[in-house]
Amino acid sequence: MNNALHFPPGFVWGTASSSHQVEGNNHNNQWWLFEQKPGAIFDGSRSGLAADWWAHAERDLDLMQQFGLTAHRMSLEWSRIEPEPGYFAEDAMGRYRQILQGMRERGIQPMVTFHHFTNPMWLERKGGWEHSEVIARFQNYVRHTVERLSDLCDTWLTINEPLVYVAQGWFRGIWPPEKQDAVGALKVLRHLLLAHGAAYQAIHAVQPKAQVGVAMAVRNFHPSNPDSRFDQFAGWIKRFIGQEIWFKGTQDGRVRLPLGLNEYHKPLDHSADFIGINYYSRDFTRFTFNPLRLFGEEHYAEGGEFSDSGQKGVYSQLAPEGLHHVLQELAPFGLPIYITENGLPDRDDDQRPRWLLSHLHRVHDAIRDGSPVKGYYHWTFADNYEWSEGWHLRFGLVELDEVTQERRPRPSADLYSAIARENGVSRAVTAQYAPELLPLLFP
Ligand code: BGC
């Protein structure tokens, strides 16, 4: 009888976070400014001290070590490292060195992201990602940083979720810079892609053995009505612009329409050493004439189970089979795959254990079917500032009181700890945390 879903030896078990969501007092970026605007954040809250990582990241690192986690994905705050154009702050770099050193001392392998939605204010004033100058500026920041941190980290993500950044900021206009401008959106996407290529080259020039990727938000975008050509088109265009242009462009160096004219950019050619995917939910797409929705309105399947963000939330319907599907689709690229984010908002933790186990079950299936998945990073370790949702959505394995900074591990933290230590999902933990899944996981 099979008593566990075993993962391959060396499989990486970690958690993920981003600078602005955890560090606190990031007052030199565009998000800090945005948070001060009445009505910008759902519950009116501000990031404030966040999870207080700038002063006390070690508190969470100690807990991670106690839970037996062996990896963590974090991001660097460009506005701290380069607070003015061309001026690199040694004290900020010193603090990042301390944090990374702290991870290593605790046996936690770092994966570091350079851009996770936030920009220095000076960059915003110069036109931000709409201005092509950003490519060289980003490359310069990345080069400087890798020169200073290459002894502590060798696994990097250049950009987090290009399409989410652009969709929220330039299509929907609900995140800074709050625009509804399709032309601007395409320009920003193009610059992000080229900046990735430039950064990839800079990293490898300093650290030839580095592993570099992008964290891509992956969705399924199934046509709402599988027989409708319009719905098929809507799903196709979203996947093409949001995913394929990136996966293919970083293989063959081509910048495809509508981000380019299919022209070749050498720095982009073979600029991914692995694929990073953030997976939260599966959705369906219905055609609309609105270009600001990329011709598709997304919706969930009828029925089903929703997380705390409910039917209107972006990341809310339980759909682990979609993860299996995505992993199968990406396998032919032949690159190692890391699940760089997966999780859900669930304050009382009554869904997280089941969701976590259901997703890992599908990851296990995908690996069995040949998908080269090398690691899983749960979003997130301790509750953090959830962008325009503020503090009301709680994604943490550990509950955080953002006022007192007190931490209380949720049951899911113990579950995840057991999984990491056993390098697999045992029948015993399944029976303990989600017995209803036993027939599915251990038929
Ligand atoms: C982002 C995170 C975010 C998470 C949950 C991802 O889109 O990379 O920053 O907190 O989803 O919404």
Side-chain angles (χ1 to χ4, degrees):
M1 189 166 44
N2 188 7
N3 276 324
L5 307 178
H6 296 289
F7 280 68
F11 193 83
V12 173
W13 296 103
T15 46
S17 67
S18 87
S19 55
H20 191 70
Q21 295 178 272
V22 301
E23 285 179 357
N25 289 325
N26 266 323
H27 50 74
N28 202 13
N29 69 29
Q30 91 283 27
W31 261 90
W32 184 270
L33 195 70
F34 178 67
E35 288 161 32
Q36 315 305 316
K37 258 183 66 168
I41 308 298
F42 174 81
D43 59 359
S45 63
R46 296 177 178 163
S47 57
L49 255 193
D52 199 20
W53 263 50
W54 195 246
H56 297 294
E58 290 73 7
R59 190 165 31 194
D60 281 340
L61 301 184
D62 283 342
L63 282 176
M64 288 176 192
Q65 186 183 26
Q66 280 172 33
F67 283 116
L69 305 185
T70 51
H72 181 69
R73 170 186 169 213
M74 57 176 261
S75 80
L76 302 173
E77 182 56 38
W78 187 355
S79 65
R80 285 193 193 270
I81 293 180
E82 191 180 1
E84 295 299 331
Y87 165 69
F88 292 98
E90 230 354 88
D91 54 340
M93 195 59 86
R95 178 62 183 137
Y96 281 125
R97 288 193 60 81
Q98 245 174 18
I99 295 175
L100 291 169
Q101 190 85 52
M103 284 189 196
R104 296 209 158 265
E105 285 161 7
R106 292 166 179 83
I108 300 164
Q109 186 181 318
M111 176 186 272
V112 168
T113 314
F114 287 101
H115 187 267
H116 196 126
F117 301 154
T118 55
N119 302 317
M121 276 313 304
W122 61 259
L123 185 81
E124 291 288 289
R125 285 194 287 267
K126 288 177 182 292
W129 284 87
E130 282 183 56
H131 200 299
S132 60
E133 256 184 24
V134 68
I135 300 167
R137 291 191 184 279
F138 183 70
Q139 186 186 34
N140 197 35
Y141 145 64
V142 169
R143 179 188 302 109
H144 174 86
T145 306
V146 178
E147 278 168 357
R148 298 287 287 106
L149 301 180
S150 62
D151 56 327
L152 297 172
C153 180
D154 58 8
T155 309
W156 312 92
L157 291 163
T158 53
I159 313 256
N160 179 67
E161 299 189 343
L163 190 65
V164 172
Y165 174 63
V166 171
Q168 304 289 66
W170 280 265
F171 284 125
R172 291 168 196 258
I174 57 170
W175 285 7
E178 299 177 85
K179 293 190 177 174
Q180 296 208 312
D181 168 10
V183 175
L186 296 179
K187 229 193 258 179
V188 173
L189 278 170
R190 173 182 170 86
H191 295 157
L192 286 163
L193 182 60
L194 295 179
H196 159 77
Y200 179 93
Q201 300 306 331
I203 298 170
H204 273 274
V206 179
Q207 197 182 31
K209 292 213 168 93
Q211 293 296 299
V212 183
V214 179
M216 296 293 298
V218 289
R219 319 268 290 259
N220 296 141
F221 299 126
H222 295 297
S224 218
N225 169 0
D227 299 326
S228 151
R229 294 260 155 134
F230 285 98
D231 291 357
Q232 287 170 10
F233 169 76
W236 175 82
I237 192 108
K238 282 190 189 254
R239 285 153 63 104
F240 186 72
I241 293 185
Q243 297 167 197
E244 261 184 73
I245 286 190
W246 286 76
F247 291 129
K248 292 191 171 151
T250 53
Q251 293 240 313
D252 64 9
R254 302 254 162 222
V255 181
R256 289 167 168 76
L257 275 171
L259 305 192
L261 297 171
N262 205 34
E263 74 276 17
Y264 175 74
H265 287 258
K266 193 157 189 347
L268 202 55
D269 197 347
H270 286 89
S271 63
D273 302 313
F274 65 89
I275 291 177
I277 60 163
N278 298 351
Y279 178 85
Y280 287 88
S281 199
R282 177 187 64 162
D283 42 23
F284 292 80
T285 310
R286 188 178 293 127
F287 180 80
T288 158
F289 283 101
N290 186 354
L292 289 172
R293 310 291 302 123
L294 277 180
F295 305 103
E297 218 47 89
E298 290 134 46
H299 66 92
Y300 291 115
E302 293 290 321
E305 181 183 338
F306 289 86
S307 72
D308 287 357
S309 57
Q311 296 252 7
K312 289 207 166 56
V314 190
Y315 298 125
S316 47
Q317 191 175 45
L318 174 64
E321 63 286 359
L323 177 56
H324 187 180
H325 185 85
V326 162
L327 291 171
Q328 275 182 313
E329 276 186 343
L330 294 174
F333 283 103
L335 291 173
I337 301 176
Y338 287 92
I339 297 163
T340 40
E341 287 183 33
N342 172 241
L344 73 157
D346 177 26
R347 185 185 287 264
D348 56 9
D349 208 45
D350 64 341
Q351 296 171 292
R352 192 174 285 103
R354 192 160 24 87
W355 284 44
L356 176 57
L357 290 169
S358 315
H359 283 87
L360 292 178
H361 166 230
R362 298 301 183 167
V363 176
H364 186 265
D365 278 356
I367 295 174
R368 182 205 56 207
D369 296 346
S371 180
V373 188
K374 305 294 177 200
Y376 173 90
Y377 294 77
H378 191 77
W379 186 275
T380 184
F381 186 70
D383 291 336
N384 62 37
Y385 190 67
E386 181 50 31
W387 305 113
S388 55
E389 299 290 336
W391 284 103
H392 93 105
L393 292 181
R394 303 285 174 154
F395 280 80
L397 295 169
V398 171
E399 182 183 342
L400 169 76
D401 179 329
E402 68 277 15
V403 179
T404 62
Q405 287 295 318
E406 200 187 318
R407 272 118 170 111
R408 199 172 312 138
R410 296 188 164 102
S412 293
D414 292 317
L415 166 61
Y416 194 50
S417 167
I419 294 169
R421 287 184 206 281
E422 292 166 8
N423 194 27
V425 173
S426 68
R427 184 187 287 270
V429 297
T430 310
Q432 185 181 349
Y433 289 91
E436 65 280 24
L437 290 181
L438 281 170
L440 179 68
L441 271 58
F442 300 98

